[in-house]
Amino acid sequence: MWWRSASFILDKQQTEGVSKQPETLSISPPVDESSMADTFQNPNPKISAYYQSRASHTAVVTSDWLAQAQAAVGFPTDEQLLSEADVRDSESGKPFCVIDEFNNWRKQPDLAEAVAAIRSLAAVIRSSQATTMMELEIELKKASDSLKSWDTTSISLTAGCDLFMRYVTRTSALEYEDFKSAKSRLIERAEKFGEISCKARRIIAMLSQDFIFDGCTILVHGFSRVVMEVLRLAAQNKKLFRVFCTEGRPDRTGLRLSNELAKLDVPVKLLIDSAVAYTMDEVDMVLVGADGVVESGGIINMMGTYQIALVAHSMNKPMYVAAESYKFARLYPLDQKDMAPALRPIDFGVPIPSKVEVEKSARDYTPPQYLTLLFTDLGVLSPSVVSDELIQLYL
């Protein structure tokens, strides 16, 4: 394990004379009341809602977090945004709904699903009419359960809700305060947790830069926003490297990533998924994202990650994982069948006979022995340290 505190990196950057960026970024979620009723439920419960919306979330990659923060200097303050939201709610007369709030936040393509849930739970506290801490905690628990049941196959959504509940309500000191001040402290913690979650990619990108050296070749699989942030920062730092992107069938997420890297003038080569072993001798490292990080230190990610890890391990290539801490989940899969299935539609381009069975699982499990390091906003961790971090997070 390398640096234990991400704030060390931020403080070091400021002391070395790097221009400061605003510490907080509050963007009011877009409101589209006409579409709220349509998006209240998963339109196709047989397919994971995450993979239904994956294309719309990854097809457009806007400017990075630092650029957004720089542009946010002229944005209204948190208090102004909250008061405007209260006025809008009072004028419409519509009761607060955590699913509607969540769907509004999800419309931002660069906002992770777990962060959207965290922002929505913070709004639950602000809009609550509870008069006691017990009522507020019950209301928050119901909202968290509603979000988790919206898509039961999303690991990051469940983990984000659970971590939010632990972070916000785990102090016993709240029992000895009056309700008004206790609620204010809960709102403070909720906003702070949301800000930490939004900064996670920026911290991970900074921590991972020492591992990307001039002349290296990086193999990536699928489209990961945190991996894209790592590569974008490396390109901005004028590092010379090239990237091999797997095609990422059937949704062609690797093609989207290669297009974004080409816009940054990064040398990129697109591979068919079955060419991983063929090109691995040219690769210096593998860098992937994760849908979830489990207690064993392994990861659950897009289908094909496991076989890439096996090939990299057999050829002594380092396998790096970039994942935010809100994806740390209290799961311990023993094999591929221990996970809840997350299904996605598959189009082979030709008609498939009805008697032919098609595997529709969208992700696989990679055991920790095939991973080298995990780049997280908690630091650079070895897989064996993940269980200790999970204990600290959920205490």
Side-chain angles (χ1 to χ4, degrees):
M1 185 170 63
W2 294 68
W3 296 278
R4 296 296 304 114
S5 174
S7 61
F8 169 79
I9 301 297
L10 295 175
D11 294 340
K12 182 179 178 182
Q13 187 184 54
Q14 292 176 2
T15 56
E16 289 176 352
V18 181
S19 59
K20 289 186 177 181
Q21 302 294 337
E23 290 297 323
T24 60
L25 176 60
S26 298
I27 304 177
S28 179
V31 177
D32 186 0
E33 296 180 355
S34 62
S35 63
M36 286 180 178
D38 297 335
T39 56
F40 185 83
Q41 294 181 340
N42 184 350
N44 191 345
K46 293 184 179 180
I47 299 173
S48 168
Y50 172 77
Y51 288 100
Q52 288 185 48
S53 59
R54 181 169 184 147
S56 61
H57 279 200
T58 59
V60 179
V61 179
T62 61
S63 56
D64 60 13
W65 192 93
L66 294 174
Q68 292 184 23
Q70 189 173 11
V73 174
F75 281 12
T77 63
D78 289 347
E79 291 76 9
Q80 291 172 334
L81 290 170
L82 295 180
S83 61
E84 290 174 3
D86 294 338
V87 170
R88 183 179 67 241
D89 292 341
S90 61
E91 289 177 351
S92 63
K94 186 176 180 179
F96 177 84
C97 177
V98 67
I99 300 296
D100 289 344
E101 184 77 8
F102 173 66
N103 283 324
N104 283 330
W105 280 109
R106 286 179 64 248
K107 293 174 185 176
Q108 299 186 28
D110 267 358
L111 197 67
E113 196 172 63
V115 179
I118 290 166
R119 293 296 196 188
S120 302
L121 290 173
V124 170
I125 301 176
R126 291 194 300 267
S127 62
S128 174
Q129 301 299 318
T131 57
T132 65
M133 280 300 300
M134 181 62 70
E135 291 178 4
L136 180 57
E137 289 188 13
I138 292 174
E139 187 176 345
L140 201 56
K141 178 67 165 58
K142 288 181 178 178
S144 175
D145 291 342
S146 296
L147 288 173
K148 289 190 287 187
S149 63
W150 185 83
D151 184 5
T152 57
T153 65
S154 176
I155 298 172
S156 61
L157 177 60
T158 299
C161 290
D162 290 343
L163 285 171
F164 178 89
M165 295 292 293
R166 297 298 302 162
Y167 183 86
V168 171
T169 62
R170 65 182 170 183
T171 176
S172 60
L174 293 175
E175 300 173 4
Y176 305 101
E177 299 178 357
D178 63 277
F179 177 70
K180 185 176 180 180
S181 59
K183 183 177 179 180
S184 298
R185 289 187 60 189
L186 283 178
I187 293 174
E188 266 180 45
R189 290 183 188 148
E191 293 298 328
K192 182 178 179 182
F193 190 73
E195 291 167 8
I196 291 172
S197 301
C198 285
K199 294 177 183 177
R201 287 183 207 153
R202 175 191 173 195
I203 294 171
I204 293 170
M206 288 191 295
L207 288 173
S208 61
Q209 293 307 299
D210 288 342
F211 296 86
I212 299 177
F213 53 89
D214 283 340
C216 70
T217 299
I218 305 171
L219 174 66
V220 298
H221 180 54
F223 188 99
S224 167
R225 283 170 288 201
V226 66
V227 169
M228 184 66 209
E229 188 72 18
V230 170
L231 298 177
R232 180 187 287 113
L233 184 58
Q236 291 174 351
N237 290 339
K238 306 301 182 183
K239 293 195 174 185
L240 304 177
F241 62 96
R242 64 173 177 165
V243 179
F244 287 175
C245 291
T246 59
E247 186 183 5
R249 284 184 63 85
D251 50 6
R252 298 174 180 263
T253 51
L255 181 59
R256 299 189 191 107
L257 181 63
S258 63
N259 289 340
E260 295 300 328
L261 290 173
K263 294 176 184 177
L264 299 174
D265 293 327
V266 173
V268 58
K269 184 177 182 180
L270 192 63
L271 310 175
I272 58 175
D273 293 335
S274 54
V276 170
Y278 175 78
T279 57
M280 187 61 73
D281 59 342
E282 301 180 51
V283 172
D284 294 299
M285 69 186 77
V286 179
L287 178 61
V288 297
D291 286 352
V293 180
V294 299
E295 292 183 68
S296 63
I299 63 168
I300 298 172
N301 194 40
M302 177 182 176
M303 183 65 71
T305 304
Y306 182 32
Q307 61 191 18
I308 291 176
L310 288 173
V311 174
H313 182 75
S314 67
M315 300 182 70
N316 295 318
K317 306 292 184 177
M319 179 87 175
Y320 298 134
V321 179
E324 303 91 329
S325 61
Y326 55 73
K327 293 182 178 177
F328 282 31
R330 301 188 71 175
L331 299 172
Y332 204 105
L334 298 177
D335 57 33
Q336 304 296 331
K337 306 303 179 183
D338 276 352
M339 300 176 294
L343 307 179
R344 65 180 176 187
I346 297 179
D347 182 12
F348 289 97
V350 295
I352 303 297
S354 58
K355 294 182 180 180
V356 176
E357 183 180 358
V358 177
E359 176 62 62
K360 294 183 178 180
S361 183
R363 61 195 181 198
D364 57 26
Y365 166 63
T366 304
Q369 61 265 31
Y370 300 112
L371 306 178
T372 307
L373 290 172
L374 289 91
F375 304 146
T376 77
D377 47 303
L378 302 176
V380 181
L381 311 177
S382 63
S384 60
V385 179
V386 169
S387 59
D388 295 334
E389 291 297 335
L390 270 165
I391 292 173
Q392 295 297 324
L393 286 172
Y394 282 97
L395 273 180

